[in-house]
Amino acid sequence: MDLTFADVLAAREVVRRHLPPTPMWNYPVLDAAAGATVHVKHENVQPVGAFKIRGGLTLLDAMSPDDRARGTVTYSTGNHAQSLAYASALFGVPCTIVMPAAANPAKAAAVRSHGAEVVLTGDNLEAAQRHAEQLAERKGARLVSPGDTPELLAGVGTLYLEILEAQPDLDLLVVPVGSGTGASAATVVARELAPRCRVIGVQSAASPAAHDSWRAGTLLQRPNRTRVDGLATGRGYALPQRILAAGLADFLLVTDDEIGEAQRLLATHAHTLAEGAGAAALAAVLTRQNLFANRTVAVVCTGGNADAAELRALGTPP
Ligand SMILES: *Cc1c(COP(=O)(O)O)cnc(C)c1O
């Protein structure tokens, strides 16, 4: 079994030593706008601004003292980088993050602020990945795949324990997908706690690799053109895709503009600052009335790391 419910329960013992549960609120004005009962799970309030911290802590906790001494290496431009840097620092483990040369300087600075070393190299994330692999080999460090690492799935699954213990009668649970760690863990938890609840994935139509891989039943590469960072992947990841194949009820695509509209609605109707990826689930609810009208739905606001340019763009809708 790739990920069991027991793995997620064990991860909760780790996560709860470091982080309180996050709030989940319902906003009647948002319900009215969405035409559904919407519970918003607030992972944007995590210390690194996103749910991935749960996975980072679970991974570092599981590493042996020997492995910790050798350190961690990963490749990412976004929240996975911050999560691994934060968790590595907490456990006193050296951490190196490889980012493409043109990475957003604010993101590199955020990672450095957690004490990690940042290596800027290559034209894209694939090139950064190759460099990270060589670096990990040379250092003897643990190379952490953002998608194919079971401890990360177990850790992020704790978020779905919190949601489904609070609202076991949900009709639908809507999860934004990049590599698919969050959505795949959600299906494992839902099967156990709320078998009637359908787990729905959402990705940007401009970066549909996970969506297309799930529909095709095989790992695919796709153009990666979304401006929504957390959802920007160019390929399907094997481990989450295996789990999603068995457990995901449906997978929807939304446009980047629809995501922007949902971000604005979270700001005005739920006093919540979401980054694009954190609003994608709500974007699906707003644009697929046939699926969601009058149902009880949870949407995960997975993160709030919107930078200044993203905030400016929200202020001037297309
Ligand atoms: C990484 C990320 C996602 C996508 O999660 P996966 O587990 O990679 O599918 C969604 N939202 C935010 C804010 C993220 O950082």
Side-chain angles (χ1 to χ4, degrees):
M1 280 267 240
D2 285 318
L3 177 72
T4 65
F5 184 65
D7 296 333
V8 182
L9 288 178
R12 172 150 68 181
E13 297 312 309
V14 176
V15 170
R16 69 159 42 130
R17 286 204 286 277
H18 303 283
L19 304 170
T22 55
M24 181 163 71
W25 298 122
N26 167 250
Y27 306 91
V29 287
L30 182 62
D31 287 358
T37 301
V38 179
H39 298 278
V40 181
K41 177 66 169 173
H42 286 290
E43 290 294 300
N44 54 306
V45 300
Q46 292 286 15
V48 301
F51 76 103
K52 287 199 176 69
I53 183 63
R54 296 171 183 265
L57 291 169
T58 303
L59 173 67
L60 267 290
D61 183 81
M63 284 170 68
S64 69
D66 262 14
D67 278 353
R68 289 185 194 162
R70 283 194 288 270
T72 55
V73 176
T74 197
Y75 45 95
S76 165
T77 55
N79 294 331
H80 168 65
Q82 280 206 61
S83 159
L84 195 71
Y86 179 98
S88 295
L90 196 69
F91 284 80
V93 172
C95 175
T96 307
I97 308 286
V98 184
M99 295 185 168
N104 184 330
K107 298 212 160 133
V111 168
R112 284 195 198 96
S113 77
H114 298 300
E117 182 187 343
V118 175
V119 177
L120 295 167
T121 186
D123 288 342
N124 52 35
L125 199 58
E126 286 67 44
Q129 175 180 346
R130 283 193 297 278
H131 186 82
E133 285 163 359
Q134 291 161 5
L135 199 65
E137 176 88 34
R138 217 164 48 234
K139 290 174 178 264
R142 166 89 181 246
L143 178 75
V144 181
S145 164
D148 288 329
T149 304
E151 294 90 340
L152 298 183
L153 274 68
V156 301
T158 62
L159 141 65
Y160 298 97
L161 289 178
E162 292 174 19
I163 291 178
L164 289 168
E165 285 174 356
Q167 294 290 336
D169 294 332
L170 286 180
D171 297 314
L172 299 138
L173 170 52
V174 192
V175 183
V177 177
S179 63
T181 65
S184 57
T187 66
V188 169
V189 175
R191 185 178 300 130
E192 193 76 22
L193 292 184
R196 215 183 51 75
C197 174
R198 302 179 75 219
V199 180
I200 313 270
V202 182
Q203 201 170 29
S204 166
S207 295
H211 167 275
D212 290 6
S213 296
W214 183 77
R215 295 234 174 254
T218 183
L219 298 182
L220 297 174
Q221 302 201 357
R222 284 291 181 263
N224 182 8
R225 302 197 182 101
T226 180
R227 55 175 184 264
V228 177
D229 275 344
L231 309 184
T233 49
R235 63 178 176 104
Y237 284 82
L239 170 61
Q241 285 287 338
R242 276 199 303 277
I243 300 169
L244 291 172
L248 196 69
D250 204 350
F251 205 147
L252 307 174
L253 293 174
V254 293
T255 67
D256 284 7
D257 286 346
E258 287 166 349
I259 289 173
E261 199 47 49
Q263 273 178 290
R264 280 186 282 277
L265 201 66
L266 281 170
T268 55
H269 289 50
H271 39 84
T272 295
L273 170 61
E275 62 183 280
L282 181 62
V285 174
L286 296 173
T287 55
R288 297 301 206 296
Q289 283 293 314
N290 58 324
L291 276 176
F292 296 104
N294 302 316
R295 314 302 292 279
T296 301
V297 183
V299 297
V300 191
C301 179
T302 44
N305 286 319
D307 64 18
E310 187 173 353
L311 291 178
R312 272 195 300 278
L314 282 182
T316 50

